């Protein structure tokens, strides 16, 4: 039985609003809102300088059990649920895989990654590893992984069990349709219900940090400008007004 479902994608204005904030700003903003650790720990960027923001498609893996899964890699390809998560990919989607932190089973390789890119996927995040690194790197995909392996996905101790169910990835709960933001700092999860406030608070934070960064580069007081002291608020507002006038 194929355990798969589609997702409800978040409104596009939420994706647009989050994409320029950055993982660090979003993680800090969510922390102040009570989501203490939205960061998928131990899952590292493999392609420096890449950033993505999009809805999560999820793949859940479980430990091998011969009565539940005994097929080889190609015995019946359509039983392989790692394929089915890719069938759901639309432009801008992010595939997130709970591979149980397994460092031996390469969830996707060259061919699956080529298909993913052809579908317009934004990026892949795996609590585990991939295979075929030399060929995959030629695709210039946005990837966040624990590493690489020469093994295929069911060669060792795990098997794909379900698509688009709630999973854990890097110690964070990921619900299908959550918004994933990832860059060189790592990958974070934004629940859709919290996205509007994250955008509002995150933009304010990013703006005063821009002002503070400028002042600190000029050798000004750290105590006054980071975090922004109430005594500097009038100066900050004047800077904002001047910037708005320059932008027309």
């Amino acid at each position: 039985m194929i355990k798969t479902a589609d997702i409800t994608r978040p409104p596009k204005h939420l994706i647009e609003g989050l994409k320029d904030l950055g993982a660090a700003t979003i993680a800090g903003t969510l922390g102040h809102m009570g989501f203490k650790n939205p960061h998928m720990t131990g899952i590292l960027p493999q392609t420096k300088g890449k950033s993505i923001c999009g809805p999560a498609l999820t793949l859940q893996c479980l430990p091998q059990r011969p009565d539940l899964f005994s097929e080889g890699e190609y015995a019946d390809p359509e039983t392989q649920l790692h394929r089915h998560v890719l069938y759901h990919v639309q432009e801008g989607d992010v595939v997130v895989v709970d591979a149980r932190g397994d460092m031996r089973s390469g969830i996707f390789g060259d061919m699956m990654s080529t298909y993913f890119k052809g579908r317009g996927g934004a990026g892949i995040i795996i609590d585990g590893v991939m295979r075929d690194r030399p060929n995959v790197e030629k695709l210039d995909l946005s990837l966040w992984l624990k590493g690489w392996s020469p093994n295929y996905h069911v060669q060792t101790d795990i098997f794909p069990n379900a698509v688009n169910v709630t999973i854990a990835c890097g110690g964070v709960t990921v619900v299908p349709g959550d918004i994933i933001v990832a860059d060189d700092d790592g990958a974070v999860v934004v629940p859709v219900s919290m996205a509007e406030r994250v955008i509002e608070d995150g933009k304010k934070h990013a703006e005063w940090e821009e002002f503070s960064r400028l002042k600190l580069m000029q050798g000004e007081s750290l105590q006054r400008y980071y975090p922004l002291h109430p005594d500097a608020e009038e100066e900050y507002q004047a800077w904002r007004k001047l910037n708005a006038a320059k932008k027309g």
Side-chain angles (χ1 to χ4, degrees):
M1 178 179 173
I2 301 297
K3 303 172 187 176
T4 181
D6 207 346
I7 68 168
T8 299
R9 289 174 174 80
K12 290 189 179 297
H13 77 275
L14 296 180
I15 303 294
E16 291 299 313
L18 289 166
K19 71 179 184 180
D20 293 327
L21 289 181
T25 295
I26 290 171
T29 303
L30 285 168
H32 291 304
M33 294 169 63
F35 190 166
K36 296 301 183 183
N37 183 27
H39 169 233
M40 300 183 207
T41 307
I43 299 170
L44 303 177
Q46 303 294 311
T47 40
K48 187 176 180 180
K50 297 283 190 182
S51 62
I52 60 171
C53 179
L57 302 172
T58 65
L59 173 64
Q60 178 200 59
C61 295
L62 292 177
Q64 285 270 15
R65 249 181 62 168
D67 60 323
L68 297 178
F69 189 92
S70 60
E71 299 290 342
E73 185 181 16
Y74 300 120
D76 181 357
E78 289 309 304
T79 67
Q80 306 289 337
L81 278 168
H82 77 314
R83 301 169 67 96
H84 285 262
V85 70
L86 301 182
Y87 296 161
H88 291 269
V89 172
Q90 297 181 13
E91 185 174 359
D93 286 347
V94 180
V95 169
V96 184
V97 183
D98 174 7
R100 303 184 57 80
D102 190 286
M103 297 299 293
R104 296 182 295 172
S105 296
I107 300 299
F108 302 119
D110 176 15
M111 304 306 288
M112 298 298 172
S113 299
T114 300
Y115 178 72
F116 174 79
K117 181 162 187 175
R119 299 277 294 180
I124 296 172
I125 299 171
I126 303 176
D127 192 352
V129 298
M130 284 180 58
R131 65 186 293 210
D132 297 334
R133 184 173 189 172
N135 288 335
V136 170
E137 286 187 339
K138 294 174 186 176
L139 296 171
D140 194 33
L141 290 172
S142 299
L143 305 173
W144 286 259
L145 318 169
K146 285 194 166 181
W148 299 84
S149 169
N151 297 332
Y152 58 83
H153 73 296
V154 292
Q155 188 171 339
T156 60
D157 297 325
I158 60 176
F159 73 98
N161 179 68
V163 168
N164 290 335
V165 297
T166 298
I167 62 170
C169 189
V172 182
T173 298
V174 182
V175 177
D178 278 347
I179 302 170
I180 307 299
V181 179
D183 56 26
D184 284 340
D185 278 330
V188 296
V189 178
V190 183
V192 174
S193 63
M194 303 174 79
E196 291 277 12
R197 185 176 162 193
V198 169
I199 293 167
E200 181 181 352
D201 292 356
K203 283 184 175 178
K204 290 177 184 176
H205 184 92
E207 191 173 51
W208 73 252
E209 275 201 345
E210 182 182 351
F211 168 73
S212 293
R213 191 177 296 109
L214 175 66
K215 303 306 288 187
L216 295 175
M217 186 59 73
Q218 294 170 351
E220 299 287 353
S221 167
L222 184 63
Q223 291 91 334
R224 179 177 175 84
Y225 293 107
Y226 190 79
L228 191 67
H229 193 277
D231 288 349
E233 182 67 24
E234 185 176 342
E235 186 183 357
Y236 165 57
Q237 293 301 335
W239 173 85
R240 286 186 69 217
K241 186 176 180 180
L242 181 62
N243 263 14
K246 286 180 179 178
K247 293 176 182 177

